[in-house]
Amino acid sequence: MQSNPLGHKVDLAERAYRIRRNALKMGEVQGQGYIGQALDIADVLAVSYFHAMRYRPEDPAWEERDRFLLSNGHYAIALYAALIEAGIIPEEELETYGSDGSRLPMSGMASYTPGMEMSGGSLGLGLTIAVGMCLGLRRKSSAARVYTLFSDGELDEGSVWEAIMSAGHWKLDNLIGIVDVNNQQADGPSTQVLAFEPLVDKLEAFGWFVQRVDGNDLDAVVAAFDAARNHAAQKPRMIVCDTRMGCGVPFLEAREKNHFIRVDAHEWQLALEALEAGRTQ
Amino acid sequence: MTRTAANSASVAAKPRLTTSAMIASIASEGQRTKPAPFGHALIALARSRPDIVGMTADLGKYTDLHVFAREFPDRYYQMGMAEQLLMGAAAGMAHEGFTPFATTYAVFASRRAYDFIHQTIAEENLDVKIACALPGLTSGYGPSHQAAEDLALFRAMPNLTVIDPCDAHEIEQVVPAIAAHRGPVYMRLLRGQVPLVLDEYGYRFELGKAKVLRDGAEVLVISSGIMTMRALEVAQALEADKVGVAVLHVPTIKPLDAETILQEASRSGRMVVVAENHTVIGGLGEAVAGLLLRSGVTPKFRHIGLPDEFLAAGALPTLHDRYGISTEVMSTRIKGWL
Ligand SMILES: Cc1ncc(C[n+]2csc(CCOP(=O)(O)OP(=O)(O)O)c2C)c(N)n1
Ligand SMILES: [Mg+2]
């Protein structure tokens, strides 16, 4: 988005740092939140909001904006953190996270939050909406793209594969899917709950242009987003991101992996300090 | 360092009472509870019923089926987060002579998998028992996890038996009872640390039977699920005001125990209040109202239930107050109606 004299890498690393910091502060407000997930997806959100997407912070409903659908609504804490950094939500509101009457409920809902483009919580819906948005944008001859973030657990839902097949059928080159493969879902590691590999082969067979990257390597994520946007073939684009839960806070990353990562009351501050210690200067 | 320390002090001073978390406890402070009554009851039953299998859609841990999975790993089927598949596969298992207990959240069974239950299970009257956590308004997470309409949807499905148990004591008895019943069952599930209330009333669950838990001369509350727990608290609270409140617990929403309901509602002079943890559309309230009208029994009738709107995200106690299903708000409203 904005040009930065230090070059995009430094800028994006700092953005990702601040997204993680915002998320940790919100987690601290309630003493809970999907913080493992927020930390794993922060780099992808930094690239989405500060490298790839076109939008106007002061006008979240700007007609020409690129859309961002959060299909995995429980990642709301992560998206709020990015929307705050993007200037779409005022930073002070972070203090209200998850509280009664807040615009930032724990599960992402379009009717509550500026910049939240769908009501999630029930998984496996995002890509179906994306198909319709992409068809609608094409119908309006709009240049806007639809970015859709979803999770590896969502790969279990039939509706996701209906949408994947449909997007291939309609050759939706204005759709960029991003799947967070953190290899975790509610009952355990995603690969054990329901085998979904080889994911790239499957998606390619459904007519998508597919890349698989380390979702916590900013350079790799930037390159993948660039390739997805510039790809010539008329196909929907998928970026499969392998991520590490808790990334950026070593002691959380080392902790036993869980859908709800355990964070004790005193550890939120320690996590903020650990994050700060790893900040790229 | 100093910045974060100051930060920590200011945060510590702030109240953290409210939260729109997905999983909230429905047990009140200091209430007696029992852990995972569904899972433990299923284990006890499965020892003598080799046909029983457990199936879930990535919610074993959150429906207490994980304790069954630990005990009988080879009788546990993790189907992935695929609720439609879960129901179709449970139907297939039942075809082959097994009795699946299929678990997910009430919202996903009712809203995502409805057609699969309707066509693959209910139409063939198959022996599938569907047990679903987070019934009605028992999550602060917002509409995605608030099953305000599950009873309406499942009541409307032919062949299906629908159960809304009140507490751990009842759940323990519901499990063997629905396994003994031939045909599909939808059961609302309370999981985790589940309140223990009905043991003090010498209560026994019988499929299809409503039970009077206490008598009272002025008001008859007809309730199911956690609203029976609330109704008993209301009855106690109103005792102080010399208002006699009877409580008729109706755990089997379908088939409805018409005989007991008509008998109790016919007793002259009592206002009938139906209380349900469900939208006012299509649940116990309308079932009872229809029954009374059809039978020519027309007492003063009031209805406590969730409004016909998308409910808010927020802390459960706040939401129960706002939508009128907390003990306090119920007590006030019932007094006002007298
Ligand atoms: C349709 C649907 N089924 C079940 C759930 C309950 N649920 C919430 S999160 C979750 C795990 C989903 O996998 P993933 O998003 O990969 O989990 P994470 O990486 O956050 O651990 C489940 C099953 C849901 N929200 N929606
Ligand atoms: Mg995951």
Side-chain angles (χ1 to χ4, degrees), chain A residues 136-179:
Chain A
L137 288 168
R138 178 185 282 175
R139 205 175 164 71
K140 292 192 288 189
S141 305
S142 168
R145 292 190 173 88
V146 179
Y147 292 79
T148 304
L149 176 63
F150 65 107
S151 62
D152 52 1
E154 291 189 85
L155 291 168
D156 298 359
E157 291 285 353
S159 60
V160 169
W161 293 95
E162 292 174 22
I164 287 171
M165 187 143 78
S166 178
H169 170 83
W170 291 103
K171 305 189 190 329
L172 298 178
D173 54 3
N174 48 353
L175 173 56
I176 299 185
I178 307 152
V179 53

Side-chain angles (χ1 to χ4, degrees), chain B residues 2-20:
Chain B
T2 37
R3 183 180 52 82
T4 49
N7 219 346
S8 138
S10 70
V11 167
K14 267 179 223 132
R16 285 184 190 174
L17 274 173
T18 60
T19 165
S20 55

Side-chain angles (χ1 to χ4, degrees), chain A residues 37 74 121 123 151-153 157 182 184-185 259, chain B residues 58 83 108:
Chain A
Q37 289 85 333
H74 63 293
L123 292 163
S151 62
D152 52 1
E157 291 285 353
N182 61 4
Q184 181 68 43
Q185 57 192 90
H259 178 60
Chain B
D58 196 25
E83 296 78 11
F108 306 129

Side-chain angles (χ1 to χ4, degrees), chain A residues 125-263:
Chain A
L125 302 180
L127 279 173
T128 68
I129 303 170
V131 166
M133 277 186 172
C134 288
L135 288 171
L137 288 168
R138 178 185 282 175
R139 205 175 164 71
K140 292 192 288 189
S141 305
S142 168
R145 292 190 173 88
V146 179
Y147 292 79
T148 304
L149 176 63
F150 65 107
S151 62
D152 52 1
E154 291 189 85
L155 291 168
D156 298 359
E157 291 285 353
S159 60
V160 169
W161 293 95
E162 292 174 22
I164 287 171
M165 187 143 78
S166 178
H169 170 83
W170 291 103
K171 305 189 190 329
L172 298 178
D173 54 3
N174 48 353
L175 173 56
I176 299 185
I178 307 152
V179 53
D180 180 12
V181 179
N182 61 4
N183 198 22
Q184 181 68 43
Q185 57 192 90
D187 275 340
S190 302
T191 44
Q192 291 173 28
V193 169
L194 187 60
F196 58 81
E197 299 286 6
L199 186 53
V200 171
D201 295 352
K202 283 180 178 143
L203 294 166
E204 280 175 352
F206 277 69
W208 287 60
F209 167 61
V210 189
Q211 306 171 77
R212 187 162 191 160
V213 296
D214 176 344
N216 297 122
D217 175 342
L218 275 174
D219 289 339
V221 175
V222 167
F225 272 73
D226 286 348
R229 287 188 299 162
N230 299 327
H231 189 68
Q234 210 198 354
K235 287 177 169 189
R237 297 99 208 275
M238 187 75 77
I239 306 174
V240 179
C241 295
D242 291 293
T243 63
R244 303 192 305 276
M245 292 183 91
C247 181
V249 178
F251 76 88
L252 290 181
E253 201 181 318
R255 186 155 289 176
E256 191 195 353
K257 256 180 83 171
N258 206 310
H259 178 60
F260 291 103
I261 205 165
R262 178 179 58 76
V263 184

